[in-house]
Amino acid sequence: MKVSVSVVTYQQASTVRQAVESVLEQQVDFPIEIIAGDDASTDGTREALQQLQFEAPETVKTILRHSNAEDFGLTNVLATVDAAQGEYIAFLDGDDYWTDRQKLAKQVAFLDAHPDCVICAHRVQHLRKDGIRILSPNAPHGEGVYDIGALIVRNFAPKISTVIRRSALADLPEWYRLTSYSSADWLLNILAGRHGRVGFIDQVMAVHRIHQASVSANFGSLHMISDKLRAITALRSCLPQAARDLTRLERKLLWKRRIVRWSPRAFSVLRRLNGMARSHPG
């Protein structure tokens, strides 16, 4: 198996078919599998996944939990990772979708051509409910290969964009599997990055929906910043070679936290202006 696609869902009955079909429509000359994990949805998501499995039984496999793990989906993600058989693992949430039918072919070709890379990412559009589309705010300028430090300082690899070598996820530390950090997706990339470099393709190949059920919307900026500061402490023992970059990120986050505490409104305005500079109508 060349690629396993981890699709994780929770209460996404209205969007999950579009997500899975965007994988089934990929134009590839290698075998892929879709491992769809559902975190005990009650809105019809499970039934939608079962129907998709019935329609494509050779490709779609399901892991249907009977109780919600209440850990921001981490248990769900890890279940799909552990079940994966592919050389590479791609990631997709049930409310997002891929827009380029060559996405997997391009990323696999990149990783095959760059054995020093363990992650390949690309640009993403973030879609707001009002139809405004915002380009990935942290994406580097141009295609290339980057050290893990660049990903630490500027998280330019949103989950929906990443394809990771499965071997780079074989030794995840036990504290990660038990973590309560809401920044678990970012941590997964960083931990994989211990084993190599990060490739970036400067093309928009996926859409991420921004909605009120997101982790950041539920917990707010101050919680997310403080959460990532705690995660940095956990990473120091795993990435001594990246101590300088972790310190740079820590200083950046401490500055942001001071602004939020001083004036949440000012921080919100700064974020909005930053997004407007990269947005355009859908």
Side-chain angles (χ1 to χ4, degrees), residues 67-275:
S67 60
N68 189 279
E70 299 183 353
D71 58 0
F72 310 109
L74 178 61
T75 294
N76 202 15
V77 172
L78 291 177
T80 63
V81 169
D82 291 340
Q85 298 297 312
E87 178 183 353
Y88 302 119
I89 304 178
F91 295 87
L92 178 63
D93 285 343
D95 55 349
D96 300 330
Y97 58 99
W98 296 343
T99 56
D100 189 333
R101 294 187 178 185
Q102 296 290 322
K103 169 190 154 70
L104 287 182
K106 292 174 182 177
Q107 290 187 278
V108 166
F110 188 101
L111 288 167
D112 282 347
H114 297 83
D116 58 326
C117 288
V118 294
I119 302 173
C120 180
H122 58 75
R123 282 188 178 270
V124 168
Q125 278 189 341
H126 303 275
L127 176 61
R128 297 188 340 198
K129 293 186 70 174
D130 59 8
I132 296 295
R133 295 173 182 261
I134 305 169
L135 288 177
S136 305
N138 294 320
H141 299 291
E143 183 168 314
V145 175
Y146 300 86
D147 291 330
I148 188 62
L151 188 58
I152 290 173
V153 176
R154 294 178 61 188
N155 183 17
F156 57 83
K159 179 182 179 183
I160 188 178
S161 78
T162 55
V163 174
I164 302 178
R165 293 187 192 273
R166 183 163 62 96
S167 59
L169 300 176
D171 62 346
L172 292 172
E174 189 63 22
W175 63 259
Y176 177 77
R177 290 182 171 274
L178 301 174
T179 189
S180 61
Y181 297 131
S182 52
S183 52
D185 292 342
W186 173 74
L187 280 169
L188 186 69
N189 286 342
I190 301 303
L191 291 170
R194 293 176 297 167
H195 301 291
R197 306 183 75 193
V198 182
F200 184 78
I201 298 175
D202 194 11
Q203 298 177 33
V204 177
M205 294 193 278
V207 168
H208 163 65
R209 287 187 174 92
I210 300 174
H211 53 85
Q212 292 304 309
S214 68
V215 172
S216 57
N218 284 336
F219 292 100
S221 298
L222 184 59
H223 173 93
M224 296 298 291
I225 292 170
S226 298
D227 181 85
K228 189 162 283 190
L229 283 168
R230 291 193 303 115
I232 289 173
T233 300
L235 284 173
R236 290 191 189 279
S237 61
C238 298
L239 288 159
Q241 71 274 25
R244 181 178 298 181
D245 295 304
L246 289 169
T247 297
R248 284 179 61 195
L249 177 60
E250 183 179 48
R251 290 171 178 168
K252 179 180 177 181
L253 292 171
L254 287 171
W255 175 78
K256 286 184 176 180
R257 190 170 68 177
R258 283 196 294 270
I259 292 179
V260 174
R261 286 175 170 172
W262 169 66
S263 175
R265 182 182 179 85
F267 184 77
S268 178
V269 169
L270 287 173
R271 289 189 64 183
R272 190 177 304 114
L273 290 173
N274 191 43

Side-chain angles (χ1 to χ4, degrees), residues 57-74:
E58 296 183 358
T59 304
V60 180
K61 305 172 184 177
T62 58
I63 301 174
L64 307 178
R65 296 180 55 84
H66 295 291
S67 60
N68 189 279
E70 299 183 353
D71 58 0
F72 310 109
L74 178 61

